[in-house]
Amino acid sequence: MPVAVPVHVLVLGGTTEARRLAESLVGDPRVRVTTSLAGRVAAPRLPPGDVRVGGFGGADGLADWIRAQGVDALVDATHPFAATMSRNAALAAAQAHVPLLALRRPGWVAQDGDRWHFAASLAEAAELLPTLGERVFLTTGRMGLAAFAELNSLWFLVRSVDAPEPPCPARMEVLLDRGPFAREGERELIRRHRLDVLVTKDSGGEATAPKLTAAREAGIPVVVVRRPPVPEGVPVAATPEAAVEWVVRELYADGSGTSG
Ligand code: NAP
């Protein structure tokens, strides 16, 4: 069956890359783009095109939504650590018979002078911390702070977009802020708060990378939480531009604006 134009692309969002993808697709008259946001952030930066907010109700709910809204292709452009949504996307795409692409910015790469310690999870990062420092710069987001809640001998500077909810570490200061962050500011935070260890997810991207440079320059160790894998069989694009190419290839394979 040929796909009618405009084709409907559903972008699972919540990242800079998802917004950039929507910005690129919205200018193409052959495409209708809807971005879906989880609704975790109180005042999100909205992409152009249609936006919907809130969960779908698991993989089945997403598959229903795809069918009901006539979605022709799905791009999972969620954060590399949004593993549940990525798993649901893979299941729903298979159920609803739509092509799926994962848009994932590459992870960070250690450089000379970096003192990185890898952890498989937030819990493993919390286990490592007491061996590495006492004053922690915690940048893993407001969700999952429970993993650090028992570390009473450590002090935390917790940076997040919205305020965290308990359980949280007993000794902490919260810094509400949203990237991009500059190296100078990161350096100043480390100095002013006498931070001696940084904890980060391997989120990748430039917006939050200056903390890694600042940590290297200050000579402090970094606990890097490794990414969960992309669901098996799902193709991956590293940039919004590559994702646009995929959309065009998938939906306009015959070059006529329809595909069979
Ligand atoms: P998650 O654990 O993978 O997903 C939990 C549930 O949230 C999903 O099952 C789904 O609910 C809903 N959900 C997640 N992303 C959604 C989206 N784009 N649209 C509609 N519903 C969505 O996700 P998370 O780690 O809580 O992240 C939530 C959102 O924040 C994601 O969109 C992600 O891109 C963004 N984000 C996450 C991180 C992080 O470190 N995890 C960092 C920055 C931004 P239903 O099952 O009801 O559909």
Side-chain angles (χ1 to χ4, degrees), residues 119-242:
S121 61
L122 292 177
E124 203 176 298
E127 260 176 53
L128 273 172
L129 270 181
T131 66
L132 296 173
E134 290 175 356
R135 298 181 64 83
V136 185
F137 190 9
L138 189 56
T139 64
T140 49
R142 73 188 172 99
M143 316 292 282
L145 286 193
F148 303 91
E150 304 294 318
L151 296 175
N152 294 325
S153 62
L154 309 184
W155 182 88
F156 291 84
L157 178 67
V158 173
R159 182 167 66 192
S160 57
V161 176
D162 290 309
E165 284 154 25
C168 295
R171 301 171 60 221
M172 73 165 186
E173 185 175 321
V174 175
L175 175 61
L176 297 183
D177 207 350
R178 168 152 62 183
F181 300 106
R183 184 171 60 167
E184 197 46 54
E186 303 296 56
R187 210 187 267 161
E188 175 56 19
L189 280 180
I190 291 173
R191 193 195 60 76
R192 180 156 30 102
H193 294 281
R194 292 177 288 114
L195 301 167
D196 56 13
V197 58
L198 165 70
V199 187
T200 180
K201 291 174 174 171
D202 180 15
S203 300
E206 287 172 15
T208 58
K211 64 187 169 188
L212 299 170
T213 314
R216 184 188 319 126
E217 288 171 357
I220 68 173
V222 181
V223 180
V224 179
V225 182
R226 287 192 197 278
R227 297 171 168 209
V230 172
E232 218 180 308
V234 177
V236 179
T239 62
E241 293 72 29

Side-chain angles (χ1 to χ4, degrees), residues 8-14 32-40 44 46-58 61-62 65-66 69 71 74 85:
H8 190 184
V9 178
L10 174 61
V11 178
L12 303 173
R32 172 185 163 211
V33 57
T34 302
T35 300
S36 173
L37 300 174
R40 299 276 195 286
L46 292 179
D50 294 338
V51 175
R52 66 162 300 286
V53 181
F56 294 94
L62 176 55
W65 200 93
I66 287 171
Q69 301 297 322
V71 171
L74 182 59
M85 191 70 242

